[in-house]
Amino acid sequence: MKLNKYQIRSLKRLYNRLKPSYNIYIAGIKKDEVKISFLNFRREVYPEITYFDKDQTRTALIEYNGITYGISSDGYCNT
């Protein structure tokens, strides 16, 4: 999905706040924690299907740890 500069800034703030990572478990025991890069975090963004603004900009959605975050075209982030 193509993001505008306000959405990218908001996504970067969200990335810095969450510090996303994947945990690696072996036999139910946590062995390692792998950090997710901002590029891979940004690639997980998908557009909201049913909502269009007047200027055809879409709300960006990203799901992390079971919470869906929506980033509007003006950069406002909500859950």
Side-chain angles (χ1 to χ4, degrees), residues 55-71:
D55 55 356
Q56 297 295 323
T57 57
R58 293 185 176 189
T59 300
L61 297 176
I62 187 163
E63 185 175 350
Y64 184 72
N65 279 348
I67 301 173
T68 304
Y69 299 94
I71 304 173

Side-chain angles (χ1 to χ4, degrees), residues 32-65:
D32 197 9
E33 186 173 349
V34 179
K35 302 291 181 196
I36 300 172
S37 68
F38 178 69
L39 180 61
N40 288 336
F41 187 70
R42 185 173 177 238
R43 286 179 179 163
E44 294 179 9
V45 172
Y46 57 93
E48 186 176 5
I49 296 171
T50 60
Y51 178 71
F52 284 97
D53 285 341
K54 296 175 202 166
D55 55 356
Q56 297 295 323
T57 57
R58 293 185 176 189
T59 300
L61 297 176
I62 187 163
E63 185 175 350
Y64 184 72
N65 279 348

